[in-house]
Amino acid sequence: MIKVAKFGGSSLADEIQFQKVKQIVESEAERKFVVVSACGKANEEEHKVTDLLYLCAAHLHYGVSAESLFVPIEEKYRRIKERLGLKIDLDREFEEIRSHFDKEIDTDYLVSRGEYLTAKLLAEYLDAQFVDAKDFIRFIHNDEVDLEKSREKFFKLIDTDKKIVIPGFYGTLPNGNIKVMSRGGSDITGAIIANLVDADVYENWTDVSGIYVADPRIIRNSLSCKRLTYRELRGMSYMGANVLHDDAIFPVREKNIPINIRNTNKPNHPGTMIMNDCSELDAKDPPRIITGITGKQGYTVITVVKNHSSTLVGFLRELLSIFEEYRVSIESVPITVDTFSIIVSSKAVSNNLYEILNRIKQTFQPDDMRVDENVALVAVVGRRMQSLPGISGSLLSEFGRNAINIKVINQSADELSIVVGVENSDFEKAINCIYERFVLAQEETL
Ligand code: ASP
């Protein structure tokens, strides 16, 4: 059994968190590969190391001193080193980084130093081998990682029975320059390592006990999910739940490796298991009907009514091509007879809504056209909803009982999720009533 354990920034924010990580890693021999984020903030006054490094780079590019930003970073790493009694030569490390301080500094290089230094400290603390991501994670173009080449290089670097510590978030371009991934990218590195070593499980250690059914800022003490499928996770994270970087799913999904979200501060909690297919486990231990309730505010619905258009071939394509011209991505398009509702994020049309409306008017001369701004979408996701008669009806009647006006309804044919559009002002109320009726009530009857 091989486990890859990735620890996020809050799990490595100070020496106390390092101690927790050591206990977790050493408690199981299977936890052979450890991937780290840069140190996070230990308290509200601090800033994340990565945020500070981005600011340092911006200062240096403008020829402004970065001292006031870089010194706190140095102090943080020195403090952790001293308190854990480590020997790493931080003077030399910082001297090397500072030797790049000028207007031409490579932002990706500088920003990657957060993960690099965190991994260096942890490797010594765990008496593990440090393997630098720059020496084996190879990008093909800008974003895509060449897994084959990375695997080949990785196995040449491992020369020990010790545990391996790898900095997340970066790799190298074909020209040898360091390239960082998008924010939160250490999750992707963890998934890549899990793929490279054919792990049995990819553990993602963070500061919450798994994926919550609903955003805990809306539902205090929300229950968490025991297990969910990759597709459910994708549905939930697309609509606002963000525990794991979206792109972290692909490298593990390809090899059917489960992801286990765990809490560094509550290591005995089993967290959430995310896998391709939960049916075997579900048969023994049926899941809740609803896995997650997520959603976002700030959508605009443009409704176009054109008599007899439903039978016109190509009408919808032409209508949508106007949005494409303005590079506006479309959230969904519920259609009824001769009526097309195009849902887009309000931000995406904030500069050109009226131009788009004008173009629609001129091109199609609609019989009616309406714009609803201030719409929120609530997504109810659950694999058990599939082929369960009556669930959409009960959901919608719950909205009715709570006097929540439904503006649009969208359910895909796979019945994995139902998305309902409501007024922005009803957003939290909608999540609350679904949570109470379908999650809490079900829990109580079990
Ligand atoms: N340190 C990087 C960030 O803050 C990457 C990561 O933590 O995953 O975005």
Side-chain angles (χ1 to χ4, degrees):
M1 165 86 94
I2 301 176
K3 290 185 177 182
V4 171
K6 179 259 165 180
F7 292 89
S10 58
S11 302
L12 292 154
D14 58 20
E15 75 284 358
I16 297 168
Q17 294 303 90
F18 268 69
Q19 284 160 0
K20 292 182 190 169
V21 168
K22 186 177 165 82
Q23 267 187 2
I24 292 168
V25 173
E26 290 181 349
S27 66
E28 284 190 28
E30 292 89 351
R31 291 193 180 113
K32 165 102 177 130
F33 301 93
V34 178
V35 177
V36 298
S37 283
C39 298
K41 46 186 196 171
N43 55 55
E44 277 312 306
E45 276 75 57
E46 277 193 359
H47 294 281
K48 285 174 74 168
V49 165
T50 309
D51 292 346
L52 290 175
L53 288 169
Y54 269 112
L55 285 171
C56 282
H59 276 63
L60 293 165
H61 285 141
Y62 285 104
V64 179
S65 163
E67 279 311 295
S68 61
L69 298 160
F70 197 67
V71 169
I73 299 176
E74 289 179 316
E75 285 172 353
K76 186 174 180 79
Y77 284 107
R78 287 188 200 286
R79 207 164 40 239
I80 295 174
K81 171 195 157 168
E82 270 151 35
R83 293 187 179 165
L84 296 179
L86 305 177
K87 294 202 178 62
I88 177 173
D89 187 352
L90 283 180
D91 290 340
R92 204 179 54 91
E93 297 286 357
F94 288 126
E95 203 179 300
E96 168 62 30
I97 299 172
R98 281 172 175 279
S99 72
H100 295 257
F101 276 20
D102 59 44
K103 279 189 163 183
E104 307 308 316
I105 185 147
D106 176 347
T107 302
D108 284 40
Y109 160 76
L110 181 57
V111 166
S112 71
R113 297 305 84 188
E115 270 69 14
Y116 168 84
L117 289 170
T118 309
K120 278 275 188 179
L121 289 179
L122 187 68
E124 185 188 338
Y125 188 44
L126 296 180
D127 187 24
Q129 183 190 351
F130 167 82
V131 176
D132 197 343
K134 100 172 170 4
D135 295 331
F136 71 96
I137 293 195
R138 286 283 175 274
F139 289 99
I140 304 175
H141 305 296
N142 246 357
D143 286 331
E144 207 183 320
V145 170
D146 183 338
L147 289 175
E148 275 324 301
K149 200 173 258 172
S150 305
R151 176 178 296 107
E152 208 180 286
K153 289 185 173 289
F154 183 59
F155 283 107
K156 283 191 189 140
L157 293 168
I158 299 174
D159 59 5
T160 168
D161 288 340
K162 290 181 172 180
K163 303 212 186 227
I164 311 286
V165 178
I166 302 150
F169 190 39
Y170 68 93
T172 38
L173 289 166
N175 67 6
N177 287 354
I178 283 188
K179 176 179 158 44
V180 294
M181 300 166 182
S182 52
R183 294 301 305 265
S186 301
D187 282 346
I188 307 173
T189 309
I192 290 172
I193 304 299
N195 179 305
L196 300 189
V197 304
D198 283 310
D200 294 278
V201 58
Y202 168 30
E203 292 181 337
N204 193 291
W205 291 84
T206 176
D207 53 5
V208 288
S209 298
I211 310 269
Y212 289 115
V213 174
D215 186 340
R217 285 168 302 187
I218 299 174
I219 306 287
R220 273 188 51 212
N221 303 323
S222 165
L223 295 165
S224 58
C225 312
K226 213 187 264 182
R227 75 187 88 89
L228 64 159
T229 62
Y230 297 132
R231 289 202 54 218
E232 284 177 306
L233 177 70
R234 174 85 180 121
M236 286 170 69
S237 60
Y238 182 71
M239 286 302 286
N242 53 9
V243 174
L244 191 73
H245 193 300
D246 256 2
D247 294 341
I249 299 177
F250 304 110
V252 282
R253 188 177 189 166
E254 190 186 290
K255 291 213 165 162
N256 213 354
I257 301 168
I259 307 171
N260 187 194
I261 309 284
R262 301 285 293 265
N263 188 346
T264 302
N265 305 316
K266 290 190 185 150
N268 295 326
H269 192 292
T272 299
M273 209 57 159
I274 305 155
M275 51 189 109
N276 213 8
D277 179 8
C278 300
S279 53
E280 227 172 87
L281 293 168
D282 285 355
K284 288 182 225 139
D285 172 23
R288 298 184 190 105
I289 293 172
I290 287 175
T291 309
I293 312 162
T294 55
K296 284 191 210 163
Q297 289 170 289
Y299 288 95
T300 295
V301 183
I302 300 159
T303 303
V304 179
V305 183
K306 173 81 181 165
N307 293 335
H308 305 293
S309 59
S310 280
T311 46
L312 289 179
V313 174
F315 181 85
L316 178 61
R317 182 184 50 73
E318 274 183 53
L319 180 58
L320 298 186
S321 69
I322 296 181
F323 291 84
E324 190 179 343
E325 260 176 57
Y326 286 89
R327 319 253 356 115
V328 174
S329 138
I330 291 162
E331 205 60 41
S332 79
V333 192
I335 300 173
T336 53
V337 182
D338 299 338
T339 305
F340 301 80
S341 293
I342 297 128
I343 307 178
V344 294
S345 125
S346 304
K347 214 162 142 203
V349 289
S350 60
N351 291 329
N352 42 28
L353 178 62
Y354 292 98
E355 270 179 61
I356 293 175
L357 296 179
N358 242 336
R359 280 290 303 283
I360 297 175
K361 250 191 202 150
Q362 281 166 6
T363 317
F364 301 103
Q365 280 111 35
D367 294 289
D368 191 14
M369 196 153 96
R370 267 192 318 276
V371 179
D372 271 312
E373 290 173 274
N374 307 318
V375 172
L377 296 181
V378 176
V380 181
V381 178
R383 60 191 178 281
R384 241 188 95 191
M385 296 197 308
Q386 294 171 314
S387 65
L388 190 72
I391 181 72
S392 334
S394 330
L395 268 174
L396 300 184
S397 64
E398 195 56 26
F399 280 31
R401 266 180 6 100
N402 285 278
I404 297 171
N405 182 35
I406 297 176
K407 289 176 167 289
V408 275
I409 305 167
N410 202 0
Q411 179 181 11
S412 55
D414 66 5
E415 302 168 79
L416 187 68
S417 65
I418 299 172
V419 178
V420 179
V422 298
E423 286 285 347
N424 268 338
S425 54
D426 280 335
F427 179 63
E428 294 199 0
K429 189 173 164 194
I431 291 184
N432 261 295
C433 73
I434 299 298
Y435 184 82
E436 267 171 37
R437 168 81 173 72
F438 293 93
V439 181
L440 268 194
Q442 197 198 355
E443 206 71 13
E444 280 156 15
T445 56
L446 288 178

